[in-house]
Amino acid sequence: AGGGRMIERLRKWYYNAAGFNKLGLMRDDTLHEDDDVKEAVKRLPEHLYNERVFRIKRALDLSLKHQILPKDQWVKYEEDHRYLEPYLKEVIRERHEREAWNKK
């Protein structure tokens, strides 16, 4: 149990050290946009897509101004959720199916 807490503290530290949360971004906002991620983003419900676009635009604006959000607006580790993950898993599963089908 102690090792689990240590790993969780390390994850939290790394999350904050990465710095994207200080710009209001979530982990899934920072994924490299390969073909799978692009397809998953297309499948997002409109409200999730709009929230993602807002966060990314705000982060770009802050970055250009060399600013970060006030600390009370940072995305907290506990509040960050993998909103893109279910769509990404589906896209990857479909791609693997297609690749397996094409090998036949």
Side-chain angles (χ1 to χ4, degrees), residues 63-79:
S63 182
L64 286 170
K65 294 175 181 177
H66 300 283
Q67 297 176 348
I68 59 171
L69 290 171
K71 191 167 187 167
D72 64 328
Q73 293 180 34
W74 295 1
V75 177
K76 293 169 189 60
Y77 176 80
E78 299 79 15
E79 296 170 354

Side-chain angles (χ1 to χ4, degrees), residues 31-72:
L31 293 175
H32 173 71
E33 289 206 16
D34 61 15
D35 291 340
D36 291 340
V37 172
K38 287 177 185 175
E39 181 58 33
V41 168
K42 287 180 189 175
R43 297 181 185 193
L44 285 172
E46 187 175 4
H47 74 281
L48 289 178
Y49 177 80
N50 290 338
E51 290 168 5
R52 173 186 169 89
V53 169
F54 171 79
R55 287 190 303 271
I56 291 171
K57 284 184 176 184
R58 178 179 58 185
L60 286 170
D61 184 55
L62 288 166
S63 182
L64 286 170
K65 294 175 181 177
H66 300 283
Q67 297 176 348
I68 59 171
L69 290 171
K71 191 167 187 167
D72 64 328

Side-chain angles (χ1 to χ4, degrees), residues 91-102:
V91 167
I92 291 169
R93 182 187 53 75
E94 289 173 4
R95 180 174 48 80
H96 287 158
E97 269 181 28
R98 246 186 338 274
E99 289 168 354
W101 180 260
N102 289 335

Side-chain angles (χ1 to χ4, degrees), residues 1-13 77:
R5 279 188 293 234
M6 181 65 166
I7 291 172
E8 192 63 19
R9 282 200 308 262
L10 185 60
R11 284 182 180 153
K12 207 172 188 176
W13 173 84
Y77 176 80

